[in-house]
Amino acid sequence: PHVNALVGKADGLFIWIHTVVELLKSTEIGKEPLIQDIIGGAASEDVDAQMSRTYLTVLRSATRGSPKVQAVVRIVLSLLLATSETDPLALPISGLYAFLPILCQVGYKLSLAEFSALIMKLRPILKFIAISDDEVTLFEPSDFDILSIAPQKLFIRAYHSSFLDFMRRKGQPPD
């Protein structure tokens, strides 16, 4: 019953509907309130406001209000933003994993599995790329387990440049 409302809300904006669909696919509990929140946005929102609202919804869904998770997400997204300025290809997952000991030292103890699960919660806004000697493979977030690929061969990047623009406008990755 919500399909028509979502299609109408998308108003032809592919990146919006893609992000919403990925968010709904990654949400295990509480889809109905999430859909109501998404559909309930102001009808007169311009494209930037609509995308900003959607990106905030994705980030809130990933962090679930936990200050610990918010801090880790800020670090991940800051690294993503910083590397996008110098390397438009992607951020290596191995580079993110290198921050785990630092996070542990400042009180954010996360196992590799927990950290990987957090990265996967951000999948509505990320693209996953595996690079081997002879091929480049783009993964759909639900197609693989992040831990099943060697970290030095797996990269992430923003799914769309509008997310990087959103972070630049905010000045830092939002909570």
Side-chain angles (χ1 to χ4, degrees):
H2 301 300
V3 172
N4 289 338
L6 289 171
V7 169
K9 183 88 174 164
D11 195 30
L13 189 60
F14 171 77
I15 187 59
W16 183 84
I17 198 67
H18 166 83
T19 306
V20 168
V21 167
E22 288 300 322
L23 174 61
L24 292 172
K25 284 174 29 182
S26 70
T27 302
E28 296 170 11
I29 298 172
K31 284 187 187 192
E32 186 63 30
L34 183 58
I35 291 171
Q36 293 303 324
D37 183 50
I38 292 166
I39 292 171
S44 62
E45 284 181 320
D46 66 14
V47 170
D48 284 340
Q50 189 172 347
M51 288 308 302
S52 291
R53 190 173 185 284
T54 303
Y55 289 142
L56 282 171
T57 302
V58 169
L59 295 173
R60 286 186 186 121
S61 177
T63 62
R64 301 228 182 235
S66 164
K68 172 184 172 180
V69 176
Q70 289 172 352
V72 174
V73 166
R74 270 193 220 102
I75 290 168
V76 169
L77 296 180
S78 295
L79 289 168
L80 183 68
L81 183 60
T83 58
S84 72
E85 301 295 330
T86 59
D87 183 359
L89 178 59
L91 172 64
I93 290 287
S94 59
L96 289 177
Y97 289 167
F99 277 85
L100 277 176
I102 296 166
L103 291 170
C104 288
Q105 287 177 359
V106 294
Y108 299 109
K109 295 185 190 295
L110 290 171
S111 69
L112 184 59
E114 290 171 320
F115 189 68
S116 297
L118 176 58
I119 299 297
M120 291 305 288
K121 286 184 180 180
L122 297 172
R123 66 185 183 233
I125 55 173
L126 298 177
K127 212 179 257 190
F128 295 85
I129 305 160
I131 301 176
S132 64
D133 295 337
D134 56 348
E135 69 179 322
V136 174
T137 306
L138 197 59
F139 286 97
E140 281 299 314
S142 57
D143 289 347
F144 73 103
D145 173 11
I146 195 171
L147 293 174
S148 68
I149 299 172
Q152 63 274 22
K153 295 184 183 246
L154 185 62
F155 296 79
I156 60 170
R157 65 176 291 198
Y159 187 84
H160 194 264
S161 61
S162 62
F163 181 69
L164 298 173
D165 295 339
F166 162 77
M167 289 197 315
R168 285 183 195 104
R169 280 194 307 275
K170 292 290 181 189
Q172 69 171 359
D175 294 334

